Amino acid sequence: MKFKRILLKLSGEALMGEQKYGIDPAVVNMIADQVKAIRELGVEVGLVIGGGNIFRGVAGATKGMDRTTADHMGMLATMINALALQDALEHKGVHTRTLSGLEMPKVAESYIRRRATRHLEKGRVVIFGAGTGNPYFSTDTAAALRGNEICAEVVMKATNVDGIYTADPKQDPAATRFDRICFQDVLEKGLRVMDASAIALCMENKLPILVFDMNKPGNLVAAVKGEPVGTLVS
């Protein structure tokens, strides 16, 4: 394997499938199958999931809600997604632990870096819920933070396109894909890979980001093997 420990970032919207809201069990099972496949190859897997399929804090704040309250609601949405994925993985025989940035001991373990690392060393998939546990920070930033904390070798950002393009390929047929791009270019060109704070955190700590399409079966396995999948930001 090219990567022995990864941080996989999933958007909440990815769990919706063709629905307009909520969680599609078929999509969750598809994701669980891919995670199981790389786990069986010996890859240690940390996961961060967004909550946009249920509630997005920024959207709530723009409609007059207090930003801190809205962000806390968004964090709870990520926990719903985390528990759904944990259940799907465990039904497939994959030992999984959900660690929460907010204390909720009856639902999940509280996040402690050493505990997370120990779970990974024991071969468990670790799902990081509730973002960073702080308002004003996105789950992209949480992925960059957790990836650095657990000493992941790469942050893998799963999207519905096969990498980073010069423009939105769904709107601009002339858009071209980057095979590789540096952090500075991502920031200067304003490419919507992850938010700027997440990019800056990865850049400062030399943690590469791989943007790829996880909807294509086998892509995650190909990515951890180092095959040319998606776009590498480094």
Side-chain angles (χ1 to χ4, degrees):
M1 296 297 101
K2 179 176 177 63
F3 301 113
K4 295 181 180 179
R5 178 178 291 179
I6 69 167
L7 191 290
L8 179 61
K9 169 61 170 65
L10 301 170
S11 68
E13 288 87 345
L15 303 187
M16 291 191 298
E18 298 300 319
Q19 302 174 167
K20 294 183 179 180
Y21 178 84
I23 298 170
D24 183 342
V27 173
V28 174
N29 278 307
M30 179 274 290
I31 293 170
D33 283 334
Q34 293 203 50
V35 173
K36 179 181 180 180
I38 63 170
R39 184 62 218 107
E40 288 175 343
L41 292 173
V43 179
E44 297 175 358
V45 185
L47 272 155
V48 170
I49 311 178
N53 56 321
I54 299 170
F55 186 86
R56 184 179 290 279
V58 172
T62 59
K63 294 178 181 178
M65 185 178 289
D66 176 76
R67 175 64 188 269
T68 299
T69 299
D71 280 353
H72 281 137
M73 292 172 67
M75 291 176 208
L76 297 178
T78 71
M79 287 301 297
I80 293 172
N81 289 338
L83 293 173
L85 185 54
Q86 174 183 263
D87 181 75
L89 285 164
E90 293 195 329
H91 271 93
K92 296 178 185 297
V94 181
H95 296 296
T96 309
R97 295 289 186 275
T98 297
L99 273 60
S100 172
L102 294 174
E103 290 188 16
M104 44 183 79
K106 292 192 176 182
V107 175
E109 299 176 31
S110 295
Y111 173 73
I112 298 173
R113 176 178 171 270
R114 287 179 178 271
R115 178 183 291 165
T117 303
R118 188 62 179 143
H119 283 320
L120 291 168
E121 290 170 349
K122 288 186 175 182
R124 298 165 183 155
V125 171
V126 178
I127 303 174
F128 301 103
T132 65
N134 299 291
Y136 296 94
F137 291 95
S138 70
T139 50
D140 278 349
T141 304
L145 176 63
R146 298 295 184 236
N148 278 294
E149 287 182 314
I150 65 172
C151 300
E153 295 169 320
V154 64
V155 171
M156 292 190 174
K157 173 75 181 283
T159 67
N160 57 4
V161 291
D162 60 343
I164 302 172
Y165 283 76
T166 53
D168 187 342
K170 295 180 180 179
Q171 297 179 1
D172 183 359
T176 57
R177 185 173 71 87
F178 297 100
D179 291 324
R180 192 174 187 126
I181 190 171
C182 70
F183 288 111
Q184 196 63 43
D185 281 347
V186 169
L187 293 172
E188 289 178 358
K189 296 177 187 294
L191 300 175
R192 295 182 179 180
V193 181
M194 302 172 85
D195 62 48
S197 58
I199 295 292
L201 185 56
C202 288
M203 179 171 65
E204 183 178 345
N205 294 283
K206 297 180 175 61
L207 176 62
I209 301 168
L210 180 68
V211 181
F212 73 108
D213 181 3
M214 194 168 167
N215 294 323
K216 184 178 179 181
N219 256 11
L220 183 57
V221 170
V224 298
K225 286 183 175 180
E227 295 176 17
V229 174
T231 301
L232 184 67
V233 185
S234 65

